[in-house]
Amino acid sequence: MSCLKEVPTLRGDNDTEWRKKVELTFVCADLDWVLDEPQPVRPTEPVRETTDDDAAWDKKRGDYAPLEMSYIIDNQKWVNANKKCMAFIKNTIESIIVGSIAECTSAAELLTKIKSQFTGSSKIYATQVLKQLVTEQYTGGGIKEHILRMSNMTAKLKPMDEDLKIKPKLLVHLVMASLPKEFETFVMNYNMSPETWDIEKTIVMCVQEGDRLKASHGGTLNYVKDHKKKNYNQNNKSSPSKPQGKAPHQHQRQQ
């Protein structure tokens, strides 16, 4: 029963994770065999030939009887197991997705159609996550939360495909690349150092560097996305791209 509670609802972007949990649940419930075994086929009933006497016919019927009984037992067992698996699968899928899948007669067929339907969407989702990961930029706020958000992105990729797993060293480099130019010296020192950090140490060191930068700027520091800052003059009174105004207006302000 604990396995049942851990199965997420299939939304379309979590097909791999959902499938693993479903298959584990079937193993725990001793129902996984129905995914590999086709429905039993009824044995061919004997036919009395014109050459068969009563003894020969009785023998044919006698030989068929245990085959028929075995089929009835095995088929009922398969039908019950398949019914449970089908119901479980359908009840762990969003209703809109269930309606888009063609009717199936077996749990194995249903899983195959689900996999086929969501392979493309999983690839699209993985591409979106990767794009977000490599373009992520820290623009202020909690730097720890920023790094954890990037770490969570990599965790989303692993269940989709083991080949998409982002290694810790690469994640650290992606984090460094996401930092603004105020961290330029900090990043340079890391790249020149022979030491490599895991994500936990990266968080600690980045938080310390962020605190140091704030202290050096009087306790506050604003990071601007894409390293673009508004071009104000030193007195921060006006922008060079904005007209200074007419002299009489300036005289009125002075008064």
Side-chain angles (χ1 to χ4, degrees):
M1 291 301 296
S2 60
C3 292
L4 296 176
K5 297 177 182 179
E6 294 179 1
V7 178
T9 300
L10 177 63
R11 301 182 305 273
D13 59 357
N14 61 340
D15 171 57
T16 303
E17 179 187 2
W18 172 84
R19 179 178 293 272
K20 287 181 179 179
K21 295 292 186 180
V22 167
E23 291 176 349
L24 175 61
T25 301
F26 289 163
V27 170
C28 294
D30 196 23
L31 294 171
D32 57 306
W33 60 269
V34 80
L35 301 178
D36 300 318
E37 297 183 16
Q39 184 172 6
V41 178
R42 179 182 290 274
T44 305
E45 296 185 16
V47 177
R48 184 167 185 171
E49 304 293 342
T50 55
T51 56
D52 290 340
D53 56 19
D54 290 343
W57 175 237
D58 288 341
K59 184 178 185 308
K60 281 186 177 181
R61 290 193 301 176
D63 292 341
Y64 175 76
L67 296 177
E68 183 181 34
M69 181 59 67
S70 177
Y71 160 75
I72 292 173
I73 295 173
D74 291 344
N75 185 63
Q76 190 59 51
K77 180 182 177 183
W78 188 93
V79 169
N80 290 340
N82 184 64
K83 183 179 179 180
K84 291 177 181 178
C85 291
M86 291 275 285
F88 179 80
I89 292 171
K90 289 182 178 181
N91 279 278
T92 57
I93 305 176
E94 287 187 347
S95 57
I96 190 171
I97 296 177
V98 175
S100 67
I101 301 174
E103 285 296 323
C104 303
T105 58
S106 70
E109 181 186 5
L110 180 57
L111 286 175
T112 299
K113 287 190 175 182
I114 290 173
K115 182 177 181 179
S116 175
Q117 179 166 334
F118 290 104
T119 295
S121 60
S122 294
K123 290 180 179 178
I124 293 172
Y125 183 70
T127 300
Q128 291 173 342
V129 173
L130 282 170
K131 183 177 180 180
Q132 184 179 357
L133 184 62
V134 298
T135 58
E136 188 76 7
Q137 293 291 318
Y138 176 63
T139 58
I143 192 167
K144 177 180 179 180
E145 289 71 20
H146 165 72
I147 298 174
L148 288 175
R149 184 167 58 252
M150 294 185 69
S151 181
N152 289 336
M153 290 181 200
T154 65
K156 292 178 181 178
L157 292 170
K158 184 178 178 181
M160 298 179 194
D161 192 331
E162 188 65 28
D163 294 335
L164 293 176
K165 181 180 178 181
I166 303 294
K167 294 182 178 180
K169 289 183 180 179
L170 177 57
L171 176 57
V172 172
H173 281 291
L174 290 172
V175 169
M176 294 297 180
S178 73
L179 299 176
K181 70 175 185 179
E182 287 80 4
F183 285 79
E184 198 169 48
T185 302
F186 171 77
V187 174
M188 185 181 302
N189 290 336
Y190 173 75
N191 290 335
M192 295 179 64
S193 171
E195 182 185 7
T196 56
W197 298 342
D198 57 19
I199 198 63
E200 288 77 17
K201 184 168 183 179
T202 302
I203 291 174
V204 172
M205 301 303 290
C206 286
V207 169
Q208 290 181 1
E209 178 64 11
D211 291 342
R212 187 193 69 78
L213 288 170
K214 286 181 182 179
S216 66
H217 286 76
T220 59
L221 180 61
N222 295 323
Y223 304 106
V224 182
K225 188 176 181 180
D226 298 329
H227 313 317
K228 294 178 181 179
K229 291 187 176 181
K230 294 180 180 179
N231 188 18
Y232 292 108
N233 61 23
Q234 291 181 351
N235 295 326
N236 200 28
K237 292 181 180 179
S238 60
S239 170
S241 60
K242 187 175 181 179
Q244 295 294 324
K246 296 181 180 180
H249 288 192
Q250 292 177 351
H251 178 68
Q252 291 174 3
R253 284 199 299 269
Q254 290 175 356
Q255 291 178 351

Coordinates of all heavy atoms in Angstrom, one line a residue, residues 129 133 148-159 164-167 171 174:
V129 N 13.6 22.3 -20.2 CA 14.4 22.4 -18.9 C 15.8 22.7 -19.2 O 16.4 23.5 -18.5 CB 14.2 21.0 -18.2 CG1 15.1 21.0 -17.0 CG2 12.8 20.8 -17.8
L133 N 17.9 25.9 -18.0 CA 19.1 25.6 -17.1 C 20.3 26.4 -17.6 O 21.0 27.1 -16.8 CB 19.4 24.1 -17.0 CG 20.5 23.7 -16.1 CD1 20.2 24.1 -14.6 CD2 20.8 22.2 -16.2
L148 N 19.7 26.2 -5.7 CA 18.8 25.1 -5.4 C 17.8 24.9 -6.6 O 17.4 23.8 -7.0 CB 18.1 25.2 -4.1 CG 18.9 25.0 -2.9 CD1 18.1 25.3 -1.6 CD2 19.5 23.6 -2.8
R149 N 17.3 26.0 -7.1 CA 16.4 26.0 -8.3 C 17.1 25.3 -9.5 O 16.5 24.5 -10.2 CB 15.9 27.4 -8.6 CG 14.9 27.4 -9.7 CD 14.2 28.8 -9.8 NE 15.1 29.8 -10.0 CZ 15.4 30.7 -9.1 NH1 14.9 30.7 -7.9 NH2 16.3 31.7 -9.4
M150 N 18.3 25.7 -9.7 CA 19.1 25.1 -10.8 C 19.3 23.6 -10.5 O 19.2 22.7 -11.4 CB 20.4 25.8 -11.0 CG 20.3 27.2 -11.5 SD 21.9 28.0 -11.8 CE 22.4 27.1 -13.3
S151 N 19.6 23.2 -9.3 CA 19.8 21.8 -8.9 C 18.5 21.0 -9.1 O 18.6 19.9 -9.6 CB 20.2 21.7 -7.5 OG 20.5 20.4 -7.1
N152 N 17.4 21.6 -8.8 CA 16.1 21.0 -9.0 C 15.8 20.7 -10.5 O 15.2 19.7 -10.9 CB 15.0 21.8 -8.4 CG 15.0 21.7 -6.9 OD1 15.5 20.8 -6.3 ND2 14.4 22.7 -6.2
M153 N 16.3 21.6 -11.4 CA 16.1 21.5 -12.8 C 16.8 20.2 -13.3 O 16.3 19.4 -14.1 CB 16.6 22.7 -13.6 CG 15.8 23.9 -13.4 SD 16.5 25.3 -14.4 CE 15.8 26.7 -13.5
T154 N 18.1 20.0 -12.8 CA 18.8 18.8 -13.2 C 18.2 17.6 -12.7 O 18.2 16.5 -13.3 CB 20.3 18.9 -12.7 OG1 20.2 18.9 -11.2 CG2 20.9 20.2 -13.1
A155 N 17.5 17.6 -11.5 CA 16.8 16.5 -11.0 C 15.6 16.1 -11.8 O 15.3 14.9 -11.9 CB 16.4 16.8 -9.5
K156 N 15.0 17.0 -12.5 CA 13.9 16.8 -13.4 C 14.3 16.0 -14.6 O 13.5 15.2 -15.2 CB 13.2 18.1 -13.8 CG 12.5 18.8 -12.7 CD 11.9 20.1 -13.2 CE 11.2 20.8 -12.1 NZ 10.6 22.1 -12.5
L157 N 15.6 16.2 -15.0 CA 16.0 15.5 -16.3 C 16.4 14.1 -16.1 O 16.2 13.3 -17.0 CB 17.3 16.3 -16.8 CG 17.1 17.7 -17.3 CD1 18.4 18.4 -17.5 CD2 16.3 17.7 -18.6
K158 N 16.9 13.7 -14.9 CA 17.3 12.3 -14.7 C 16.2 11.3 -14.9 O 16.5 10.3 -15.6 CB 17.9 12.2 -13.3 CG 18.5 10.8 -13.0 CD 19.1 10.8 -11.6 CE 19.6 9.3 -11.3 NZ 20.2 9.2 -10.0
P159 N 15.0 11.5 -14.4 CA 14.0 10.4 -14.6 C 13.6 10.3 -16.0 O 13.1 9.2 -16.4 CB 12.8 11.0 -13.8 CG 13.4 11.9 -12.8 CD 14.5 12.5 -13.5
L164 N 20.6 12.0 -19.8 CA 20.4 13.5 -19.6 C 20.9 13.9 -18.3 O 20.8 15.1 -17.9 CB 18.9 13.8 -19.8 CG 18.4 13.7 -21.2 CD1 16.9 14.0 -21.2 CD2 19.1 14.6 -22.2
K165 N 21.4 13.0 -17.5 CA 21.8 13.3 -16.1 C 22.9 14.3 -16.1 O 23.9 14.1 -16.8 CB 22.2 12.1 -15.4 CG 22.7 12.3 -13.9 CD 23.1 11.0 -13.3 CE 23.5 11.2 -11.9 NZ 24.0 10.0 -11.2
I166 N 22.8 15.4 -15.4 CA 23.8 16.5 -15.3 C 24.7 16.1 -14.2 O 24.3 16.0 -13.0 CB 23.2 17.9 -15.1 CG1 22.2 18.2 -16.2 CG2 24.3 18.9 -15.0 CD1 22.8 18.4 -17.6
K167 N 26.0 16.0 -14.5 CA 27.0 15.7 -13.4 C 27.2 16.9 -12.5 O 27.1 18.0 -12.9 CB 28.3 15.2 -14.1 CG 28.2 13.9 -14.9 CD 29.5 13.5 -15.5 CE 29.4 12.2 -16.2 NZ 30.7 11.8 -16.8
L171 N 27.1 21.0 -13.2 CA 26.1 21.9 -12.5 C 26.8 23.0 -11.9 O 26.3 24.2 -11.9 CB 25.3 21.1 -11.5 CG 24.3 21.9 -10.7 CD1 23.3 22.6 -11.6 CD2 23.6 21.0 -9.7
L174 N 27.7 25.5 -14.4 CA 26.5 26.2 -14.9 C 26.1 27.3 -13.9 O 25.7 28.4 -14.2 CB 25.4 25.3 -15.1 CG 25.5 24.3 -16.3 CD1 24.4 23.3 -16.3 CD2 25.4 25.1 -17.6

